[in-house]
Amino acid sequence: MRKYILISIILVCAFGCGNENQEDRIKVLENENKDLGLKLQKLSTDLESSSDVVKDITALIKNIQETEMNIEEKKHRLRSAKGVEDTVDMKEDILNSIHRLYEDLERHRNKAVELQKALDSLVATNTQQNETISSIKIALEKKTIRVEGLVKQVDSLKKHVTHLENKQGELTGEISYLKSELNFKENEVSRKELEIKNLHQEINTIFYIIGNSKELKRKKIIVKKGIPLLRSLNPFSRNYVLGQNFTLAEFKEEKSTLTKFRIDGKIKKILPYRNKNHYDISYENGLSFINIKDSKNFWHQKYLVIVTK
C-alpha cells in the first residue's frame, strides 16, 4: 500500500513540475516575441521615414526639371528679341525672370544638399537595418517549439520580416538611383548657373570704337551720307553714317556697360544716333568727356562709334 502511495506522489510531482517548466518556456517565448515585435515596429517606422525622403527627392527633381524648362523658354524668348530696338524693356523683364529662376535653382540646390545628407544617413543606417532584420530572422528560425499559438505568431512574423526585406531592398535600389539622379541634377544646376552667368555677360557686353573720320572710313565703318553725285560736288561734307558691311572685329569689347568715356581731341559725331537726353559731352584741355546719364537707353544698341576731328 505504501508502495502505491509513493508512486502516486512521484507521478504528481513529475507532472506538476513538467507543467511549470512548460509555462516558464511559454513565458520566455512570449517575452521574446514581444521584443521582436518592438524591433519590427521600429523597422517599419524607419522604412516610412525612408519613403518620405524618397518622395521629397522625387518632388525636388521634378521642380528642378520644370525650372530648367522655364530657363530654356526665357532664353529662347531673349534670343528671339535680340537686336530689336523697341524691346529693351521686354529684354530687361526676361532677364529679371531668368534671375528669379536662378534664385529658384539656388533654393533647389540648398534643398538638394539637405536631401543628400538625408540619403547619406539612410545609406549609413541601411546596413544596420539589414543586420537587424537578419538577426530577427535567425532568432525566429531558432524558435521551433511546437506551441500552437506561438507557432502561428512566429509564421506571421516571418512573413512580415520577408515583406520588410523586400521593401528594404526596393528602397535601397530606389535610394541608390535617386542619389545618382540627385548628383546629376546638382551638376545640371551648376551648368545652368554658368550658362546664366555667360548669358548675363552677353546681354551686358558692348562694343565701341574711337577714331578720326579718315581712319574709320578706311576701315569701312562709316561712310559719307547722301547721293554720290552730290557728295562729289561737296567733298568737304562731314555728314557720316554707319557703313552697311562693317564688322565688330575692329571694335573694343567690354563685359559691362560703360558710363564714362575720356577721349583725346574733339568729338565730331556719335553713331548710331543716341538721344541727347541720355548723355552729356564736355570738353577740357583738349580732351572730350562723355557722361552717360541713362545707361539702359543709351546702350539699347550694343555698339558705339565715336568719330573725332
Side-chain angles (χ1 to χ4, degrees):
M1 185 67 178
R2 289 179 180 178
K3 180 179 180 181
Y4 289 119
I5 292 173
L6 183 60
I7 291 173
S8 297
I9 293 172
I10 293 172
L11 288 173
V12 170
C13 290
F15 183 77
C17 293
N19 282 342
E20 289 178 0
N21 290 336
Q22 189 175 9
E23 289 176 358
D24 290 339
R25 293 171 70 187
I26 289 174
K27 287 181 180 179
V28 171
L29 287 172
E30 287 177 345
N31 290 333
E32 291 177 351
N33 179 47
K34 184 178 179 180
D35 183 59
L36 291 174
L38 292 175
K39 289 182 179 180
L40 288 173
Q41 185 178 0
K42 183 179 183 303
L43 284 174
S44 297
T45 303
D46 291 343
L47 286 173
E48 288 176 2
S49 299
S50 301
S51 299
D52 291 339
V53 173
V54 169
K55 290 177 183 177
D56 289 342
I57 293 174
T58 303
L60 176 63
I61 291 174
K62 182 179 179 182
N63 289 337
I64 291 175
Q65 290 172 340
E66 290 176 353
T67 305
E68 290 172 344
M69 291 174 62
N70 287 334
I71 288 175
E72 292 299 326
E73 179 186 351
K74 299 295 183 184
K75 285 166 55 183
H76 176 72
R77 290 182 58 194
L78 188 62
R79 291 195 175 103
S80 298
K82 192 173 181 181
V84 181
E85 295 183 8
D86 59 353
T87 59
V88 175
D89 293 332
M90 186 174 72
K91 288 182 181 179
E92 193 72 22
D93 290 340
I94 294 173
L95 188 57
N96 290 335
S97 297
I98 291 176
H99 279 301
R100 287 193 293 272
L101 290 171
Y102 170 82
E103 292 173 353
D104 291 341
L105 280 179
E106 185 64 24
R107 284 193 293 272
H108 293 334
R109 186 173 191 171
N110 294 334
K111 181 66 174 177
V113 172
E114 295 177 5
L115 292 177
Q116 182 72 44
K117 292 179 180 178
L119 278 178
D120 291 339
S121 177
L122 289 176
V123 170
T125 58
N126 186 44
T127 302
Q128 183 179 358
Q129 289 178 350
N130 286 335
E131 291 175 353
T132 303
I133 292 174
S134 297
S135 66
I136 292 175
K137 275 189 73 176
I138 294 171
L140 289 173
E141 289 171 356
K142 291 180 179 179
K143 308 309 174 185
T144 56
I145 300 174
R146 295 182 179 179
V147 180
E148 184 175 353
L150 292 177
V151 168
K152 290 181 180 179
Q153 292 181 19
V154 169
D155 288 340
S156 176
L157 287 173
K158 283 184 178 180
K159 291 179 182 178
H160 191 39
V161 167
T162 301
H163 170 72
L164 287 176
E165 281 184 322
N166 294 335
K167 191 172 182 180
Q168 182 75 18
E170 292 174 1
L171 279 174
T172 299
E174 192 168 359
I175 286 172
S176 178
Y177 167 76
L178 288 175
K179 190 172 182 179
S180 61
E181 186 74 7
L182 192 57
N183 286 334
F184 173 77
K185 287 301 178 184
E186 286 178 347
N187 292 333
E188 281 292 297
V189 168
S190 297
R191 187 179 65 82
K192 292 294 182 184
E193 289 175 353
L194 180 60
E195 194 171 347
I196 289 172
K197 181 180 179 182
N198 292 336
L199 184 61
H200 184 72
Q201 286 184 348
E202 180 182 345
I203 293 298
N204 288 309
T205 298
I206 61 166
F207 301 89
Y208 70 93
I209 187 170
I210 303 172
N212 58 50
S213 56
K214 183 178 180 181
E215 177 186 1
L216 295 176
K217 282 196 320 183
R218 179 177 56 81
K219 294 178 178 179
K220 298 182 179 179
I221 294 175
I222 63 173
V223 296
K224 284 186 178 181
K225 182 179 179 181
I227 302 172
L229 178 60
L230 295 178
R231 290 205 307 267
S232 62
L233 295 175
N234 185 12
F236 299 102
S237 173
R238 296 182 178 181
N239 197 7
Y240 296 103
V241 295
L242 291 174
Q244 293 183 350
N245 300 318
F246 78 91
T247 64
L248 297 177
E250 300 287 343
F251 285 61
K252 291 184 178 180
E253 180 179 347
E254 291 288 342
K255 296 298 182 182
S256 60
T257 53
L258 300 179
T259 58
K260 293 182 181 297
F261 284 93
R262 179 178 179 275
I263 303 159
D264 291 332
K266 195 167 184 179
I267 298 173
K268 180 187 296 185
K269 195 172 186 65
I270 290 179
L271 298 171
Y273 172 78
R274 262 80 168 172
N275 191 312
K276 292 186 178 180
N277 292 327
H278 301 156
Y279 68 97
D280 287 329
I281 297 179
S282 59
Y283 302 98
E284 184 179 346
N285 298 327
L287 298 176
S288 300
F289 298 91
I290 299 178
N291 179 38
I292 299 172
K293 298 186 293 183
D294 187 344
S295 181
K296 175 181 174 182
N297 285 300
F298 184 90
W299 290 112
H300 75 281
Q301 295 190 72
K302 297 300 179 182
Y303 56 91
L304 173 69
V305 177
I306 300 176
V307 185
T308 61
K309 294 183 178 180

